[in-house]
């Protein structure tokens, strides 16, 4: 992924109560990133639908927003994924409910089904707004993974475009790395020393990644490195929630199987209960 990852953006344009807010968010992001916007409507084409979409996007006409409406009848998940590939979409925006009920988790909501199958990056919006709410704090995963360096770089690019003030890079560390049974003061001290060494190692790794990012993306933004011991996926989601982050940026999983959903881990914890708006990068 380059530091200009989004040249084409798409949004599922369902005629729901949130349609206007979702379109406003998508239009603003397209302008921020200098991308073409595709409105994907699952259903038959009609002049009334086109007119409604034009009216909603009329305020962005003065900004020369480039957009195209695509109608695709059929199954919502398959229709949106098909258009994604046909139009070579870089970022797909989806409206999503914040918490998924137990039954829906196994059956799968449309947004989450698409997220699990999409080959492009996905932005899940839980609180779309007609009036712009500035993105001030971005949390990004910094776990040791081949995709993480590009994810962190992309997070800084997004932060620059959205004029965010702060980025926190969270390194989730498995508690098993501290393989000390704590039963007295001596073992407690030993465990704490091991934890501090792991934290220093992780912070050094993240610092090296940041040093390779062009300065224009890192200056004038507060950068914090936050190692956390805990369950991968759950820990960063909880941190994003308690720190009131406006956006959580995550790596896309390498693969997603039935067992990943039956015994959730990593990104599945995030999809089950979205802590904030979530950007999942391919």
């Amino acid at each position: 992924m380059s530091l200009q990852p989004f040249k084409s953006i798409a949004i599922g344009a369902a005629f729901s109560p949130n349609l206007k807010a979702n379109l406003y968010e998508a239009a603003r992001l397209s302008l921020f990133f200098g991308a073409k916007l595709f409105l994907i409507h699952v259903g038959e084409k009609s002049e009334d639908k086109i007119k409604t979409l034009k009216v909603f996007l009329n305020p962005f006409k003065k900004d020369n927003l480039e957009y195209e409406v695509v109608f695709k009848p059929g199954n919502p998940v398959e229709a949106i994924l098909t258009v994604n590939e046909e139009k070579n979409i870089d970022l797909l925006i989806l409206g999503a409910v914040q918490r998924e009920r137990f039954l829906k988790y196994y059956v799968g909501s449309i947004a989450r089904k698409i997220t699990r199958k999409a080959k492009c990056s996905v932005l899940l919006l839980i609180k779309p707004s007609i009036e712009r709410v500035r993105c001030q704090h971005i949390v990004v995963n910094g776990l040791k993974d081949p995709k993480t360096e590009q994810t962190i770089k992309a997070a800084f690019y997004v932060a620059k475009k959205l004029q965010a003030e702060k980025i926190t890079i969270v390194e989730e560390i498995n508690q098993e790395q501290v393989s000390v049974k704590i039963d007295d003061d001596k073992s407690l001290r030993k465990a704490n020393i091991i934890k501090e060494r792991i934290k220093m190692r992780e912070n050094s790794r993240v610092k090296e990644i940041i040093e390779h990012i062009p300065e224009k993306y890192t200056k004038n933004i507060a950068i914090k490195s936050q190692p956390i011991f805990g369950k991968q996926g759950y820990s960063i989601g909880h941190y994003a929630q308690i720190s009131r982050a406006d956006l959580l940026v995550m790596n896309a999983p390498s693969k997603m199987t039935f067992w990943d959903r039956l015994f959730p881990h990593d990104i599945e914890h995030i999809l089950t209960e979205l802590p904030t708006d979530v950007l999942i990068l391919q």
Side-chain angles (χ1 to χ4, degrees), residues 7 23-24 38 57 60 64 73 131 134 151 159 171 184-185 190 192-193 202 219 233-234 248 252 255 268:
K7 295 176 182 177
L23 291 183
Y24 271 53
F38 292 86
L57 290 177
F60 301 95
N64 298 317
E131 296 295 326
R134 185 176 170 187
T151 298
E171 306 110 85
D184 56 21
D185 288 347
K190 184 178 179 180
N192 287 334
I193 289 170
E202 291 298 299
K219 69 178 182 180
Y234 174 80
L248 171 60
K255 61 180 179 178
E268 287 294 309

Side-chain angles (χ1 to χ4, degrees), residues 82-95:
T82 299
V83 174
N84 257 23
E85 293 198 36
E86 289 174 352
K87 299 295 183 180
N88 197 25
I89 301 300
D90 296 315
L91 175 65
L92 175 64
I93 301 173
L94 297 168

Side-chain angles (χ1 to χ4, degrees), residues 58-72:
N58 192 54
F60 301 95
K61 192 175 181 181
K62 65 182 187 303
D63 301 310
N64 298 317
L65 173 70
E66 184 184 3
Y67 73 92
E68 178 182 334
V69 183
V70 181
F71 291 92
K72 191 80 173 179

Side-chain angles (χ1 to χ4, degrees), residues 77-274:
V77 175
E78 297 307 319
I80 290 174
L81 291 173
T82 299
V83 174
N84 257 23
E85 293 198 36
E86 289 174 352
K87 299 295 183 180
N88 197 25
I89 301 300
D90 296 315
L91 175 65
L92 175 64
I93 301 173
L94 297 168
V97 293
Q98 191 162 7
R99 183 178 177 87
E100 196 167 29
R101 291 181 183 177
F102 181 81
L103 177 61
K104 257 194 174 179
Y105 177 70
Y106 292 100
V107 176
S109 66
I110 290 174
R112 286 164 175 79
K113 280 184 178 179
I114 293 170
T115 301
R116 293 176 180 123
K117 293 182 178 181
K119 295 179 181 178
C120 65
S121 298
V122 176
L123 173 62
L124 295 165
L125 294 178
I126 61 170
K127 293 178 182 176
S129 175
I130 293 171
E131 296 295 326
R132 188 195 173 201
V133 178
R134 185 176 170 187
C135 178
Q136 298 185 61
H137 181 201
I138 295 176
V139 170
V140 56
N141 73 262
L143 76 163
K144 193 172 183 180
D145 183 271
K147 293 181 178 180
T148 294
E149 183 173 355
Q150 287 299 329
T151 298
I152 292 174
K153 287 179 178 179
F156 274 92
Y157 171 79
V158 170
K160 180 74 173 179
K161 293 297 181 182
L162 301 185
Q163 300 176 324
E165 298 174 354
K166 179 180 179 181
I167 282 187
T168 302
I169 302 165
V170 174
E171 306 110 85
E172 292 178 293
I173 305 165
N174 195 317
Q175 192 69 40
E176 292 177 2
Q177 290 192 44
V178 187
S179 55
V180 177
K181 184 180 179 183
I182 300 173
D183 48 22
D184 56 21
D185 288 347
K186 185 177 179 181
S187 58
L188 177 61
R189 284 195 298 271
K190 184 178 179 180
N192 287 334
I193 289 170
I194 292 172
K195 281 187 174 183
E196 286 305 311
R197 285 176 178 169
I198 293 172
K199 285 181 180 179
M200 288 175 65
R201 182 193 70 203
E202 291 298 299
N203 286 340
S204 177
R205 177 177 59 80
V206 168
K207 185 179 178 182
E208 187 176 350
I209 291 173
I210 295 170
E211 286 174 352
H212 288 89
I213 300 173
E215 187 184 354
K216 69 176 181 177
Y217 294 107
T218 59
K219 69 178 182 180
N220 300 325
I221 187 166
I223 303 170
K224 180 182 178 182
S225 185
Q226 181 67 59
I228 294 179
F229 290 84
K231 181 172 278 189
Q232 201 168 297
Y234 174 80
S235 300
I236 192 171
H238 181 66
Y239 181 85
Q241 191 170 40
I242 62 171
S243 65
R244 297 186 178 182
D246 302 296
L247 180 65
L248 171 60
V249 183
M250 300 283 293
N251 297 348
S254 298
K255 61 180 179 178
M256 193 73 72
T257 67
F258 170 77
W259 295 108
D260 290 325
R261 295 192 289 279
L262 195 59
F263 302 103
H265 61 83
D266 298 11
I267 202 74
E268 287 294 309
H269 285 294
I270 303 297
L271 294 180
T272 307
E273 188 169 358
L274 299 170

Side-chain angles (χ1 to χ4, degrees), residues 21-32:
N22 283 333
L23 291 183
Y24 271 53
E25 294 281 14
R28 282 192 293 260
L29 287 172
S30 296
L31 292 172
F32 286 140

